[in-house]
Amino acid sequence: MGARMPDAKARKAVTRLRDGVPDWKVPFMSTAQKHLLNTLQAVRSAPARVLEAGCGDGSLLALLEARGYEVSGFDLEDFGLQDNAFFDRCHARLPGLRDDPLRLRLIDEKSPWPFEEMQAVISNQVIEHVRDHEHFFANHRRVLTAGGIGLHVF
């Protein structure tokens, strides 16, 4: 009987270890995040200013920043998911945002970014939680530059 071939997940972990990258240091990327990243890279290459609506713990922002995008993000302060540790979690992934508090915010409803500031606005599994879609998209349209894009996975 021959040796059993490791499955794809095991081969990937072995490759990472062989390349000197501990498995826990390689960021996990969900299927939705992969789709957003691939689509964004296809239609708006880095460097570009990207705003993530509903940025959660900053994991997607960190993946974008690692690919050369200038990132900003927000989450709603009254949604109930974010607590006092919101900034700590995001800053752990994105230490550069600690020095620029205008790029990471907890907001009430209205986006505080200036008109025509961003080249892309994205969200990952956020739209199903939005109470007022018209308001949500109007704010995104307001901050997008001419030719800016919105990418939303839900």
Side-chain angles (χ1 to χ4, degrees), residues 6 68 83 118-119 136:
D83 55 18
M118 301 293 166
Q119 294 164 310
F136 181 78

PDB file of all heavy atoms in Angstrom, residues 6 68 83 118-119 136:
ATOM      1  N   PRO A   6      -1.589  13.856   1.397  1.00  0.00           N
ATOM      2  CA  PRO A   6      -2.321  14.761   2.297  1.00  0.00           C
ATOM      3  C   PRO A   6      -3.372  15.553   1.518  1.00  0.00           C
ATOM      4  O   PRO A   6      -3.214  15.785   0.323  1.00  0.00           O
ATOM      5  CB  PRO A   6      -1.231  15.679   2.843  1.00  0.00           C
ATOM      6  CG  PRO A   6      -0.084  15.548   1.916  1.00  0.00           C
ATOM      7  CD  PRO A   6      -0.209  14.221   1.229  1.00  0.00           C
ATOM      8  N   GLY A  68      -1.873  47.125  -0.920  1.00  0.00           N
ATOM      9  CA  GLY A  68      -1.526  48.463  -1.387  1.00  0.00           C
ATOM     10  C   GLY A  68      -2.639  49.478  -1.433  1.00  0.00           C
ATOM     11  O   GLY A  68      -2.444  50.603  -1.896  1.00  0.00           O
ATOM     12  N   ASP A  83     -18.195  47.072  20.629  1.00  0.00           N
ATOM     13  CA  ASP A  83     -18.059  47.482  22.016  1.00  0.00           C
ATOM     14  C   ASP A  83     -16.832  48.379  22.149  1.00  0.00           C
ATOM     15  O   ASP A  83     -16.279  48.832  21.149  1.00  0.00           O
ATOM     16  CB  ASP A  83     -17.956  46.255  22.932  1.00  0.00           C
ATOM     17  CG  ASP A  83     -16.814  45.324  22.512  1.00  0.00           C
ATOM     18  OD1 ASP A  83     -15.909  45.754  21.765  1.00  0.00           O
ATOM     19  OD2 ASP A  83     -16.832  44.167  22.936  1.00  0.00           O
ATOM     20  N   MET A 118     -13.518  58.886  -1.805  1.00  0.00           N
ATOM     21  CA  MET A 118     -13.141  57.487  -1.993  1.00  0.00           C
ATOM     22  C   MET A 118     -13.286  57.040  -3.442  1.00  0.00           C
ATOM     23  O   MET A 118     -14.162  57.498  -4.162  1.00  0.00           O
ATOM     24  CB  MET A 118     -14.023  56.577  -1.115  1.00  0.00           C
ATOM     25  CG  MET A 118     -13.944  56.885   0.355  1.00  0.00           C
ATOM     26  SD  MET A 118     -12.301  56.508   0.992  1.00  0.00           S
ATOM     27  CE  MET A 118     -12.355  57.343   2.558  1.00  0.00           C
ATOM     28  N   GLN A 119     -12.430  56.104  -3.825  1.00  0.00           N
ATOM     29  CA  GLN A 119     -12.516  55.535  -5.173  1.00  0.00           C
ATOM     30  C   GLN A 119     -13.319  54.237  -5.189  1.00  0.00           C
ATOM     31  O   GLN A 119     -13.724  53.778  -6.245  1.00  0.00           O
ATOM     32  CB  GLN A 119     -11.111  55.320  -5.728  1.00  0.00           C
ATOM     33  CG  GLN A 119     -10.409  56.660  -5.945  1.00  0.00           C
ATOM     34  CD  GLN A 119      -8.916  56.511  -6.117  1.00  0.00           C
ATOM     35  OE1 GLN A 119      -8.266  55.852  -5.320  1.00  0.00           O
ATOM     36  NE2 GLN A 119      -8.397  57.131  -7.157  1.00  0.00           N
ATOM     37  N   PHE A 136     -28.311  54.446   3.028  1.00  0.00           N
ATOM     38  CA  PHE A 136     -27.022  53.748   2.999  1.00  0.00           C
ATOM     39  C   PHE A 136     -26.296  54.017   1.681  1.00  0.00           C
ATOM     40  O   PHE A 136     -25.142  54.435   1.661  1.00  0.00           O
ATOM     41  CB  PHE A 136     -27.287  52.248   3.197  1.00  0.00           C
ATOM     42  CG  PHE A 136     -26.076  51.355   3.219  1.00  0.00           C
ATOM     43  CD1 PHE A 136     -25.274  51.275   4.352  1.00  0.00           C
ATOM     44  CD2 PHE A 136     -25.755  50.570   2.135  1.00  0.00           C
ATOM     45  CE1 PHE A 136     -24.180  50.424   4.398  1.00  0.00           C
ATOM     46  CE2 PHE A 136     -24.667  49.709   2.164  1.00  0.00           C
ATOM     47  CZ  PHE A 136     -23.873  49.638   3.296  1.00  0.00           C
TER      48      PHE A 136
END
